[in-house]
Amino acid sequence: MVHTLSVVVFLKRNTTDMEEGDKVADLFRRADRGDRSALARLISLIEREKEVLSFVPEGLRTKGTNSYLIGMTGAPGAGKSTLTDRLIEWYRRQDDEVAVLAIDPTSPFSGGAILGDRVRMQSHALDSKVYIRSMATRGSLGGLAVAVPITLRVLQLVSFDEVIVETVGVGQVEVDIVGSSDSTIVVLNPLWGDSIQANKAGLLEIADVFVINKADRDGVRQTRRDLDAMLDLSEPKKWRPPIIETVASDGQGVAELGSALAAHRAFLVDSGEINRKREKRASEEFTKATLRLFERSLKNSGDFVRLHQSVKEGEIEPTRAAQEVIDKILRN
Ligand SMILES: Nc1nc2c(ncn2[C@@H]2O[C@H](COP(=O)(O)OP(=O)(O)OP(=O)(O)O)[C@@H](O)[C@H]2O)c(=O)[nH]1
Ligand SMILES: [Mg+2]
């Protein structure tokens, strides 16, 4: 009797999962056709820990490969959002569709903006070929580490030509997030020691292009010298990151940045490095998803719950109980 009941419950849950899956697949198709509310719903589902990538329609799966993922990082206030804004303009002039994911509660994109940035953001907001979304940390970097890569993958799958992710360059999670982009831009300012700080934060290693923004201020040559010296000291790679000077607030140097990115992209394609980066992202997604789903189903399993209780009551050694749970699950 109990057995029959659990089968029924199982079937019921499965049907619900399938219905949900159909709905998610439909959201993907609509988002791919440019339906922004469908896209926003997909991202909200990700934030609520739904596994939307389990339901990507087959036709969409291969499309994401044409999308170019750009990471933008640097110290707070370095000018990342202003620069991103300029890059959007640059790509829009080539008639590309651009998505931006800003991971920073203070970012102008998330509304903590000074007026000028808001006005500019609104001009993009009216552009149907631009999608800007922010994701707040809410003090939980753990959640971001899961949600951000999934969201970036979704944006790539639904056919944006360029997907730009902006994060502050402090902390391992942020560095990991931008570091796995196709091209990573590290934004510095002409301040004494800024490049040394960037080095400490691990940003030098992930940079494909350096930007010295606020080049209207003193100290540009010194910052360039520091950077060059550090690059000379680091292990030589096939690609030496160029150093571009910009004044994001008035657009100076943005064309050079656009060209540097195009050159890096060409390098990635010619050297086959782009495939390696994609393989790495796919492999990380697979490993993380396996562990996540395993953990979730484990916590829902009767054996886990039962043995957990025994552990709490001191009836069994925790490690021994863990071994028993794993043995039981692997046998099923
Ligand atoms: N003088 C000067 N100011 C700039 C330049 N670029 C940006 N700014 C200003 O610097 C301030 C910070 O710019 P943002 O683009 O918000 O910097 P951010 O790196 O995105 O900041 P967070 O997201 O808060 O870390 C704004 O007041 C910009 O107008 C520049 O090239 N020169
Ligand atoms: Mg910002």
Side-chain angles (χ1 to χ4, degrees), residues 74-84 103-109 114 117 120 166-168 187 189 212-217 246-251:
K80 301 177 295 294
S81 298
T82 316
L83 206 55
T84 300
I103 305 152
D104 183 353
T106 66
S107 164
F109 294 128
I114 51 166
D117 283 313
R120 203 163 42 230
E166 177 198 329
T167 80
V168 188
V187 186
N189 289 153
I212 305 177
N213 186 47
K214 306 197 185 180
D216 51 329
R217 297 188 176 167
T246 61
V247 183
S249 44
D250 69 12

PDB file of all heavy atoms in Angstrom, residues 74-84 103-109 114 117 120 166-168 187 189 212-217 246-251, ligand 1:
ATOM      1  N   GLY A  74      36.845  45.825 -12.056  1.00  0.00           N
ATOM      2  CA  GLY A  74      37.735  46.883 -11.589  1.00  0.00           C
ATOM      3  C   GLY A  74      37.228  47.406 -10.261  1.00  0.00           C
ATOM      4  O   GLY A  74      36.158  46.993  -9.790  1.00  0.00           O
ATOM      5  N   ALA A  75      37.981  48.296  -9.669  1.00  0.00           N
ATOM      6  CA  ALA A  75      37.632  48.812  -8.353  1.00  0.00           C
ATOM      7  C   ALA A  75      36.304  49.574  -8.382  1.00  0.00           C
ATOM      8  O   ALA A  75      35.880  50.043  -9.441  1.00  0.00           O
ATOM      9  CB  ALA A  75      38.754  49.729  -7.862  1.00  0.00           C
ATOM     10  N   PRO A  76      35.649  49.699  -7.221  1.00  0.00           N
ATOM     11  CA  PRO A  76      34.415  50.499  -7.158  1.00  0.00           C
ATOM     12  C   PRO A  76      34.665  51.913  -7.690  1.00  0.00           C
ATOM     13  O   PRO A  76      35.684  52.521  -7.358  1.00  0.00           O
ATOM     14  CB  PRO A  76      34.092  50.541  -5.665  1.00  0.00           C
ATOM     15  CG  PRO A  76      34.805  49.375  -5.061  1.00  0.00           C
ATOM     16  CD  PRO A  76      36.015  49.129  -5.916  1.00  0.00           C
ATOM     17  N   GLY A  77      33.766  52.383  -8.547  1.00  0.00           N
ATOM     18  CA  GLY A  77      33.868  53.750  -9.039  1.00  0.00           C
ATOM     19  C   GLY A  77      34.895  53.962 -10.142  1.00  0.00           C
ATOM     20  O   GLY A  77      35.143  55.096 -10.551  1.00  0.00           O
ATOM     21  N   ALA A  78      35.496  52.886 -10.657  1.00  0.00           N
ATOM     22  CA  ALA A  78      36.530  53.027 -11.695  1.00  0.00           C
ATOM     23  C   ALA A  78      35.954  53.517 -13.029  1.00  0.00           C
ATOM     24  O   ALA A  78      36.696  54.007 -13.886  1.00  0.00           O
ATOM     25  CB  ALA A  78      37.248  51.693 -11.899  1.00  0.00           C
ATOM     26  N   GLY A  79      34.647  53.399 -13.162  1.00  0.00           N
ATOM     27  CA  GLY A  79      33.998  53.836 -14.403  1.00  0.00           C
ATOM     28  C   GLY A  79      33.497  52.678 -15.249  1.00  0.00           C
ATOM     29  O   GLY A  79      33.255  52.831 -16.450  1.00  0.00           O
ATOM     30  N   LYS A  80      33.286  51.530 -14.625  1.00  0.00           N
ATOM     31  CA  LYS A  80      32.855  50.335 -15.365  1.00  0.00           C
ATOM     32  C   LYS A  80      31.508  50.529 -16.051  1.00  0.00           C
ATOM     33  O   LYS A  80      31.356  50.189 -17.228  1.00  0.00           O
ATOM     34  CB  LYS A  80      32.776  49.131 -14.412  1.00  0.00           C
ATOM     35  CG  LYS A  80      34.084  48.797 -13.737  1.00  0.00           C
ATOM     36  CD  LYS A  80      33.935  47.647 -12.762  1.00  0.00           C
ATOM     37  CE  LYS A  80      33.044  47.951 -11.574  1.00  0.00           C
ATOM     38  NZ  LYS A  80      33.570  48.984 -10.647  1.00  0.00           N
ATOM     39  N   SER A  81      30.545  51.076 -15.313  1.00  0.00           N
ATOM     40  CA  SER A  81      29.211  51.226 -15.898  1.00  0.00           C
ATOM     41  C   SER A  81      29.212  52.263 -17.014  1.00  0.00           C
ATOM     42  O   SER A  81      28.555  52.085 -18.045  1.00  0.00           O
ATOM     43  CB  SER A  81      28.189  51.618 -14.828  1.00  0.00           C
ATOM     44  OG  SER A  81      28.090  50.605 -13.860  1.00  0.00           O
ATOM     45  N   THR A  82      29.948  53.345 -16.808  1.00  0.00           N
ATOM     46  CA  THR A  82      30.034  54.372 -17.848  1.00  0.00           C
ATOM     47  C   THR A  82      30.664  53.777 -19.107  1.00  0.00           C
ATOM     48  O   THR A  82      30.216  54.030 -20.231  1.00  0.00           O
ATOM     49  CB  THR A  82      30.871  55.571 -17.345  1.00  0.00           C
ATOM     50  OG1 THR A  82      30.494  55.889 -16.009  1.00  0.00           O
ATOM     51  CG2 THR A  82      30.658  56.796 -18.218  1.00  0.00           C
ATOM     52  N   LEU A  83      31.677  52.970 -18.889  1.00  0.00           N
ATOM     53  CA  LEU A  83      32.365  52.336 -20.010  1.00  0.00           C
ATOM     54  C   LEU A  83      31.463  51.299 -20.699  1.00  0.00           C
ATOM     55  O   LEU A  83      31.421  51.208 -21.933  1.00  0.00           O
ATOM     56  CB  LEU A  83      33.627  51.668 -19.482  1.00  0.00           C
ATOM     57  CG  LEU A  83      34.805  51.465 -20.426  1.00  0.00           C
ATOM     58  CD1 LEU A  83      35.243  52.769 -21.067  1.00  0.00           C
ATOM     59  CD2 LEU A  83      35.982  50.845 -19.663  1.00  0.00           C
ATOM     60  N   THR A  84      30.738  50.550 -19.888  1.00  0.00           N
ATOM     61  CA  THR A  84      29.802  49.563 -20.436  1.00  0.00           C
ATOM     62  C   THR A  84      28.771  50.255 -21.311  1.00  0.00           C
ATOM     63  O   THR A  84      28.443  49.807 -22.410  1.00  0.00           O
ATOM     64  CB  THR A  84      29.086  48.804 -19.287  1.00  0.00           C
ATOM     65  OG1 THR A  84      30.072  48.140 -18.502  1.00  0.00           O
ATOM     66  CG2 THR A  84      28.120  47.778 -19.825  1.00  0.00           C
ATOM     67  N   ILE A 103      26.386  43.175 -11.772  1.00  0.00           N
ATOM     68  CA  ILE A 103      26.318  42.551 -10.456  1.00  0.00           C
ATOM     69  C   ILE A 103      26.925  43.494  -9.463  1.00  0.00           C
ATOM     70  O   ILE A 103      28.110  43.482  -9.218  1.00  0.00           O
ATOM     71  CB  ILE A 103      27.094  41.231 -10.428  1.00  0.00           C
ATOM     72  CG1 ILE A 103      26.573  40.358 -11.538  1.00  0.00           C
ATOM     73  CG2 ILE A 103      26.951  40.534  -9.092  1.00  0.00           C
ATOM     74  CD1 ILE A 103      27.587  39.425 -12.040  1.00  0.00           C
ATOM     75  N   ASP A 104      26.107  44.356  -8.974  1.00  0.00           N
ATOM     76  CA  ASP A 104      26.615  45.362  -8.069  1.00  0.00           C
ATOM     77  C   ASP A 104      25.445  46.198  -7.602  1.00  0.00           C
ATOM     78  O   ASP A 104      24.825  46.885  -8.385  1.00  0.00           O
ATOM     79  CB  ASP A 104      27.608  46.252  -8.820  1.00  0.00           C
ATOM     80  CG  ASP A 104      28.223  47.282  -7.906  1.00  0.00           C
ATOM     81  OD1 ASP A 104      27.782  47.371  -6.753  1.00  0.00           O
ATOM     82  OD2 ASP A 104      29.111  48.014  -8.356  1.00  0.00           O
ATOM     83  N   PRO A 105      25.168  46.162  -6.339  1.00  0.00           N
ATOM     84  CA  PRO A 105      24.008  46.911  -5.860  1.00  0.00           C
ATOM     85  C   PRO A 105      24.140  48.410  -6.063  1.00  0.00           C
ATOM     86  O   PRO A 105      23.144  49.108  -6.122  1.00  0.00           O
ATOM     87  CB  PRO A 105      23.946  46.568  -4.375  1.00  0.00           C
ATOM     88  CG  PRO A 105      25.235  45.935  -4.017  1.00  0.00           C
ATOM     89  CD  PRO A 105      25.860  45.438  -5.267  1.00  0.00           C
ATOM     90  N   THR A 106      25.373  48.922  -6.179  1.00  0.00           N
ATOM     91  CA  THR A 106      25.500  50.369  -6.310  1.00  0.00           C
ATOM     92  C   THR A 106      25.593  50.808  -7.765  1.00  0.00           C
ATOM     93  O   THR A 106      25.748  51.973  -8.063  1.00  0.00           O
ATOM     94  CB  THR A 106      26.773  50.880  -5.594  1.00  0.00           C
ATOM     95  OG1 THR A 106      27.909  50.343  -6.285  1.00  0.00           O
ATOM     96  CG2 THR A 106      26.813  50.449  -4.158  1.00  0.00           C
ATOM     97  N   SER A 107      25.508  49.842  -8.666  1.00  0.00           N
ATOM     98  CA  SER A 107      25.661  50.170 -10.077  1.00  0.00           C
ATOM     99  C   SER A 107      24.555  51.111 -10.571  1.00  0.00           C
ATOM    100  O   SER A 107      23.396  50.957 -10.178  1.00  0.00           O
ATOM    101  CB  SER A 107      25.601  48.895 -10.890  1.00  0.00           C
ATOM    102  OG  SER A 107      25.374  49.198 -12.231  1.00  0.00           O
ATOM    103  N   PRO A 108      24.918  52.063 -11.414  1.00  0.00           N
ATOM    104  CA  PRO A 108      23.891  52.908 -12.007  1.00  0.00           C
ATOM    105  C   PRO A 108      22.798  52.087 -12.687  1.00  0.00           C
ATOM    106  O   PRO A 108      21.643  52.479 -12.710  1.00  0.00           O
ATOM    107  CB  PRO A 108      24.658  53.702 -13.059  1.00  0.00           C
ATOM    108  CG  PRO A 108      26.037  53.767 -12.539  1.00  0.00           C
ATOM    109  CD  PRO A 108      26.262  52.469 -11.811  1.00  0.00           C
ATOM    110  N   PHE A 109      23.143  50.922 -13.203  1.00  0.00           N
ATOM    111  CA  PHE A 109      22.158  50.100 -13.899  1.00  0.00           C
ATOM    112  C   PHE A 109      21.093  49.574 -12.950  1.00  0.00           C
ATOM    113  O   PHE A 109      19.998  49.285 -13.344  1.00  0.00           O
ATOM    114  CB  PHE A 109      22.826  48.914 -14.606  1.00  0.00           C
ATOM    115  CG  PHE A 109      23.713  49.351 -15.721  1.00  0.00           C
ATOM    116  CD1 PHE A 109      25.023  48.907 -15.783  1.00  0.00           C
ATOM    117  CD2 PHE A 109      23.256  50.215 -16.703  1.00  0.00           C
ATOM    118  CE1 PHE A 109      25.848  49.304 -16.814  1.00  0.00           C
ATOM    119  CE2 PHE A 109      24.074  50.629 -17.728  1.00  0.00           C
ATOM    120  CZ  PHE A 109      25.381  50.173 -17.794  1.00  0.00           C
ATOM    121  N   ILE A 114      23.391  58.150 -10.145  1.00  0.00           N
ATOM    122  CA  ILE A 114      23.326  59.595 -10.228  1.00  0.00           C
ATOM    123  C   ILE A 114      22.499  59.909 -11.483  1.00  0.00           C
ATOM    124  O   ILE A 114      22.390  59.089 -12.390  1.00  0.00           O
ATOM    125  CB  ILE A 114      24.730  60.220 -10.314  1.00  0.00           C
ATOM    126  CG1 ILE A 114      25.554  59.561 -11.422  1.00  0.00           C
ATOM    127  CG2 ILE A 114      25.454  60.112  -8.990  1.00  0.00           C
ATOM    128  CD1 ILE A 114      26.795  60.333 -11.780  1.00  0.00           C
ATOM    129  N   ASP A 117      23.533  59.136 -15.261  1.00  0.00           N
ATOM    130  CA  ASP A 117      23.551  57.728 -15.655  1.00  0.00           C
ATOM    131  C   ASP A 117      22.147  57.204 -15.894  1.00  0.00           C
ATOM    132  O   ASP A 117      21.918  56.417 -16.790  1.00  0.00           O
ATOM    133  CB  ASP A 117      24.247  56.880 -14.583  1.00  0.00           C
ATOM    134  CG  ASP A 117      25.762  57.040 -14.663  1.00  0.00           C
ATOM    135  OD1 ASP A 117      26.284  56.958 -15.785  1.00  0.00           O
ATOM    136  OD2 ASP A 117      26.382  57.280 -13.626  1.00  0.00           O
ATOM    137  N   ARG A 120      20.963  58.300 -19.252  1.00  0.00           N
ATOM    138  CA  ARG A 120      21.594  57.523 -20.318  1.00  0.00           C
ATOM    139  C   ARG A 120      21.030  56.110 -20.369  1.00  0.00           C
ATOM    140  O   ARG A 120      20.790  55.562 -21.413  1.00  0.00           O
ATOM    141  CB  ARG A 120      23.104  57.472 -20.098  1.00  0.00           C
ATOM    142  CG  ARG A 120      23.836  57.194 -21.364  1.00  0.00           C
ATOM    143  CD  ARG A 120      25.291  57.535 -21.279  1.00  0.00           C
ATOM    144  NE  ARG A 120      25.886  57.141 -20.044  1.00  0.00           N
ATOM    145  CZ  ARG A 120      26.623  57.943 -19.293  1.00  0.00           C
ATOM    146  NH1 ARG A 120      26.836  59.181 -19.683  1.00  0.00           N
ATOM    147  NH2 ARG A 120      27.156  57.518 -18.198  1.00  0.00           N
ATOM    148  N   GLU A 166      29.233  42.948 -15.647  1.00  0.00           N
ATOM    149  CA  GLU A 166      30.011  43.913 -14.861  1.00  0.00           C
ATOM    150  C   GLU A 166      30.020  43.517 -13.387  1.00  0.00           C
ATOM    151  O   GLU A 166      28.975  43.339 -12.776  1.00  0.00           O
ATOM    152  CB  GLU A 166      29.403  45.325 -14.985  1.00  0.00           C
ATOM    153  CG  GLU A 166      30.138  46.350 -14.120  1.00  0.00           C
ATOM    154  CD  GLU A 166      29.353  47.643 -13.864  1.00  0.00           C
ATOM    155  OE1 GLU A 166      28.566  48.060 -14.729  1.00  0.00           O
ATOM    156  OE2 GLU A 166      29.547  48.234 -12.787  1.00  0.00           O
ATOM    157  N   THR A 167      31.221  43.356 -12.814  1.00  0.00           N
ATOM    158  CA  THR A 167      31.300  43.136 -11.367  1.00  0.00           C
ATOM    159  C   THR A 167      32.448  43.950 -10.786  1.00  0.00           C
ATOM    160  O   THR A 167      33.416  44.268 -11.473  1.00  0.00           O
ATOM    161  CB  THR A 167      31.580  41.671 -10.962  1.00  0.00           C
ATOM    162  OG1 THR A 167      32.977  41.397 -11.090  1.00  0.00           O
ATOM    163  CG2 THR A 167      30.798  40.687 -11.788  1.00  0.00           C
ATOM    164  N   VAL A 168      32.326  44.272  -9.515  1.00  0.00           N
ATOM    165  CA  VAL A 168      33.422  44.928  -8.819  1.00  0.00           C
ATOM    166  C   VAL A 168      34.523  43.886  -8.611  1.00  0.00           C
ATOM    167  O   VAL A 168      34.244  42.745  -8.282  1.00  0.00           O
ATOM    168  CB  VAL A 168      32.966  45.448  -7.441  1.00  0.00           C
ATOM    169  CG1 VAL A 168      34.054  46.286  -6.811  1.00  0.00           C
ATOM    170  CG2 VAL A 168      31.710  46.245  -7.569  1.00  0.00           C
ATOM    171  N   VAL A 187      39.460  47.338 -15.547  1.00  0.00           N
ATOM    172  CA  VAL A 187      39.457  48.803 -15.580  1.00  0.00           C
ATOM    173  C   VAL A 187      40.247  49.359 -14.398  1.00  0.00           C
ATOM    174  O   VAL A 187      39.937  49.066 -13.247  1.00  0.00           O
ATOM    175  CB  VAL A 187      38.011  49.359 -15.527  1.00  0.00           C
ATOM    176  CG1 VAL A 187      38.014  50.870 -15.708  1.00  0.00           C
ATOM    177  CG2 VAL A 187      37.140  48.691 -16.579  1.00  0.00           C
ATOM    178  N   ASN A 189      42.330  53.034 -12.807  1.00  0.00           N
ATOM    179  CA  ASN A 189      42.365  54.499 -12.870  1.00  0.00           C
ATOM    180  C   ASN A 189      43.803  54.960 -12.704  1.00  0.00           C
ATOM    181  O   ASN A 189      44.618  54.244 -12.136  1.00  0.00           O
ATOM    182  CB  ASN A 189      41.493  55.103 -11.770  1.00  0.00           C
ATOM    183  CG  ASN A 189      40.004  54.916 -12.012  1.00  0.00           C
ATOM    184  OD1 ASN A 189      39.215  54.873 -11.070  1.00  0.00           O
ATOM    185  ND2 ASN A 189      39.596  54.794 -13.260  1.00  0.00           N
ATOM    186  N   ILE A 212      42.878  51.986 -18.824  1.00  0.00           N
ATOM    187  CA  ILE A 212      43.122  53.034 -17.836  1.00  0.00           C
ATOM    188  C   ILE A 212      42.062  54.086 -18.100  1.00  0.00           C
ATOM    189  O   ILE A 212      42.168  54.892 -19.033  1.00  0.00           O
ATOM    190  CB  ILE A 212      44.543  53.639 -17.961  1.00  0.00           C
ATOM    191  CG1 ILE A 212      45.606  52.522 -17.888  1.00  0.00           C
ATOM    192  CG2 ILE A 212      44.774  54.666 -16.847  1.00  0.00           C
ATOM    193  CD1 ILE A 212      47.034  53.019 -18.077  1.00  0.00           C
ATOM    194  N   ASN A 213      40.992  54.010 -17.325  1.00  0.00           N
ATOM    195  CA  ASN A 213      39.892  54.966 -17.504  1.00  0.00           C
ATOM    196  C   ASN A 213      40.146  56.198 -16.630  1.00  0.00           C
ATOM    197  O   ASN A 213      40.948  56.147 -15.706  1.00  0.00           O
ATOM    198  CB  ASN A 213      38.554  54.310 -17.152  1.00  0.00           C
ATOM    199  CG  ASN A 213      37.390  55.220 -17.459  1.00  0.00           C
ATOM    200  OD1 ASN A 213      37.326  55.816 -18.539  1.00  0.00           O
ATOM    201  ND2 ASN A 213      36.471  55.352 -16.511  1.00  0.00           N
ATOM    202  N   LYS A 214      39.444  57.274 -16.940  1.00  0.00           N
ATOM    203  CA  LYS A 214      39.679  58.589 -16.323  1.00  0.00           C
ATOM    204  C   LYS A 214      41.061  59.085 -16.737  1.00  0.00           C
ATOM    205  O   LYS A 214      41.812  59.641 -15.918  1.00  0.00           O
ATOM    206  CB  LYS A 214      39.530  58.536 -14.789  1.00  0.00           C
ATOM    207  CG  LYS A 214      38.190  57.940 -14.350  1.00  0.00           C
ATOM    208  CD  LYS A 214      37.832  58.247 -12.916  1.00  0.00           C
ATOM    209  CE  LYS A 214      36.554  57.497 -12.550  1.00  0.00           C
ATOM    210  NZ  LYS A 214      36.098  57.706 -11.179  1.00  0.00           N
ATOM    211  N   ALA A 215      41.385  58.828 -17.987  1.00  0.00           N
ATOM    212  CA  ALA A 215      42.681  59.250 -18.523  1.00  0.00           C
ATOM    213  C   ALA A 215      42.771  60.766 -18.649  1.00  0.00           C
ATOM    214  O   ALA A 215      43.787  61.307 -19.082  1.00  0.00           O
ATOM    215  CB  ALA A 215      42.927  58.580 -19.874  1.00  0.00           C
ATOM    216  N   ASP A 216      41.679  61.459 -18.289  1.00  0.00           N
ATOM    217  CA  ASP A 216      41.720  62.922 -18.229  1.00  0.00           C
ATOM    218  C   ASP A 216      42.408  63.381 -16.948  1.00  0.00           C
ATOM    219  O   ASP A 216      42.595  64.575 -16.727  1.00  0.00           O
ATOM    220  CB  ASP A 216      40.291  63.506 -18.322  1.00  0.00           C
ATOM    221  CG  ASP A 216      39.317  62.852 -17.324  1.00  0.00           C
ATOM    222  OD1 ASP A 216      39.498  61.647 -17.004  1.00  0.00           O
ATOM    223  OD2 ASP A 216      38.386  63.547 -16.879  1.00  0.00           O
ATOM    224  N   ARG A 217      42.772  62.438 -16.093  1.00  0.00           N
ATOM    225  CA  ARG A 217      43.434  62.801 -14.833  1.00  0.00           C
ATOM    226  C   ARG A 217      44.934  62.515 -14.909  1.00  0.00           C
ATOM    227  O   ARG A 217      45.393  61.789 -15.780  1.00  0.00           O
ATOM    228  CB  ARG A 217      42.831  62.007 -13.685  1.00  0.00           C
ATOM    229  CG  ARG A 217      41.362  62.346 -13.496  1.00  0.00           C
ATOM    230  CD  ARG A 217      40.836  61.724 -12.251  1.00  0.00           C
ATOM    231  NE  ARG A 217      39.449  62.151 -12.038  1.00  0.00           N
ATOM    232  CZ  ARG A 217      38.639  61.599 -11.179  1.00  0.00           C
ATOM    233  NH1 ARG A 217      39.059  60.601 -10.426  1.00  0.00           N
ATOM    234  NH2 ARG A 217      37.396  62.039 -11.041  1.00  0.00           N
ATOM    235  N   THR A 246      41.158  55.448 -21.727  1.00  0.00           N
ATOM    236  CA  THR A 246      39.830  55.956 -22.077  1.00  0.00           C
ATOM    237  C   THR A 246      39.392  57.090 -21.147  1.00  0.00           C
ATOM    238  O   THR A 246      39.863  57.189 -20.006  1.00  0.00           O
ATOM    239  CB  THR A 246      38.738  54.854 -21.961  1.00  0.00           C
ATOM    240  OG1 THR A 246      38.681  54.398 -20.604  1.00  0.00           O
ATOM    241  CG2 THR A 246      39.002  53.678 -22.876  1.00  0.00           C
ATOM    242  N   VAL A 247      38.506  57.906 -21.673  1.00  0.00           N
ATOM    243  CA  VAL A 247      37.746  58.833 -20.833  1.00  0.00           C
ATOM    244  C   VAL A 247      36.295  58.449 -21.098  1.00  0.00           C
ATOM    245  O   VAL A 247      35.660  58.953 -22.029  1.00  0.00           O
ATOM    246  CB  VAL A 247      38.015  60.310 -21.212  1.00  0.00           C
ATOM    247  CG1 VAL A 247      37.253  61.256 -20.275  1.00  0.00           C
ATOM    248  CG2 VAL A 247      39.510  60.617 -21.167  1.00  0.00           C
ATOM    249  N   ALA A 248      35.811  57.520 -20.298  1.00  0.00           N
ATOM    250  CA  ALA A 248      34.486  56.945 -20.582  1.00  0.00           C
ATOM    251  C   ALA A 248      33.411  58.016 -20.564  1.00  0.00           C
ATOM    252  O   ALA A 248      32.456  57.965 -21.341  1.00  0.00           O
ATOM    253  CB  ALA A 248      34.162  55.855 -19.567  1.00  0.00           C
ATOM    254  N   SER A 249      33.580  59.006 -19.680  1.00  0.00           N
ATOM    255  CA  SER A 249      32.539  60.020 -19.544  1.00  0.00           C
ATOM    256  C   SER A 249      32.341  60.837 -20.814  1.00  0.00           C
ATOM    257  O   SER A 249      31.253  61.359 -21.036  1.00  0.00           O
ATOM    258  CB  SER A 249      32.841  60.925 -18.347  1.00  0.00           C
ATOM    259  OG  SER A 249      34.206  61.281 -18.326  1.00  0.00           O
ATOM    260  N   ASP A 250      33.374  60.945 -21.675  1.00  0.00           N
ATOM    261  CA  ASP A 250      33.106  61.629 -22.948  1.00  0.00           C
ATOM    262  C   ASP A 250      33.370  60.748 -24.182  1.00  0.00           C
ATOM    263  O   ASP A 250      33.355  61.223 -25.314  1.00  0.00           O
ATOM    264  CB  ASP A 250      33.841  62.984 -23.037  1.00  0.00           C
ATOM    265  CG  ASP A 250      35.351  62.819 -23.155  1.00  0.00           C
ATOM    266  OD1 ASP A 250      35.813  61.688 -23.398  1.00  0.00           O
ATOM    267  OD2 ASP A 250      36.057  63.832 -23.006  1.00  0.00           O
ATOM    268  N   GLY A 251      33.633  59.478 -23.948  1.00  0.00           N
ATOM    269  CA  GLY A 251      33.715  58.543 -25.082  1.00  0.00           C
ATOM    270  C   GLY A 251      35.106  58.375 -25.696  1.00  0.00           C
ATOM    271  O   GLY A 251      35.287  57.540 -26.581  1.00  0.00           O
TER     272      GLY A 251
HETATM  273  N1  LIG B   1      36.779  62.301 -14.817  1.00  0.00           N
HETATM  274  C1  LIG B   1      36.229  61.166 -15.237  1.00  0.00           C
HETATM  275  N2  LIG B   1      35.171  60.665 -14.573  1.00  0.00           N
HETATM  276  C2  LIG B   1      34.624  59.508 -15.021  1.00  0.00           C
HETATM  277  C3  LIG B   1      35.139  58.822 -16.142  1.00  0.00           C
HETATM  278  N3  LIG B   1      34.418  57.700 -16.323  1.00  0.00           N
HETATM  279  C4  LIG B   1      33.484  57.664 -15.361  1.00  0.00           C
HETATM  280  N4  LIG B   1      33.608  58.761 -14.570  1.00  0.00           N
HETATM  281  C5  LIG B   1      32.783  59.101 -13.392  1.00  0.00           C
HETATM  282  O1  LIG B   1      33.154  58.240 -12.326  1.00  0.00           O
HETATM  283  C6  LIG B   1      32.004  57.944 -11.504  1.00  0.00           C
HETATM  284  C7  LIG B   1      31.846  56.441 -11.353  1.00  0.00           C
HETATM  285  O2  LIG B   1      31.524  55.873 -12.617  1.00  0.00           O
HETATM  286  P1  LIG B   1      30.738  54.496 -12.766  1.00  0.00           P
HETATM  287  O3  LIG B   1      30.641  54.217 -14.210  1.00  0.00           O
HETATM  288  O4  LIG B   1      29.511  54.501 -11.973  1.00  0.00           O
HETATM  289  O5  LIG B   1      31.802  53.526 -12.087  1.00  0.00           O
HETATM  290  P2  LIG B   1      31.628  51.997 -11.709  1.00  0.00           P
HETATM  291  O6  LIG B   1      32.981  51.399 -11.805  1.00  0.00           O
HETATM  292  O7  LIG B   1      30.557  51.353 -12.495  1.00  0.00           O
HETATM  293  O8  LIG B   1      31.168  52.103 -10.198  1.00  0.00           O
HETATM  294  P3  LIG B   1      30.555  50.950  -9.267  1.00  0.00           P
HETATM  295  O9  LIG B   1      29.625  50.128 -10.117  1.00  0.00           O
HETATM  296  O10 LIG B   1      29.860  51.696  -8.189  1.00  0.00           O
HETATM  297  O11 LIG B   1      31.725  50.160  -8.785  1.00  0.00           O
HETATM  298  C8  LIG B   1      30.832  58.615 -12.188  1.00  0.00           C
HETATM  299  O12 LIG B   1      30.613  59.838 -11.553  1.00  0.00           O
HETATM  300  C9  LIG B   1      31.303  58.821 -13.607  1.00  0.00           C
HETATM  301  O13 LIG B   1      30.685  59.906 -14.236  1.00  0.00           O
HETATM  302  C10 LIG B   1      36.270  59.411 -16.831  1.00  0.00           C
HETATM  303  O14 LIG B   1      36.789  58.859 -17.804  1.00  0.00           O
HETATM  304  N5  LIG B   1      36.765  60.557 -16.320  1.00  0.00           N
END
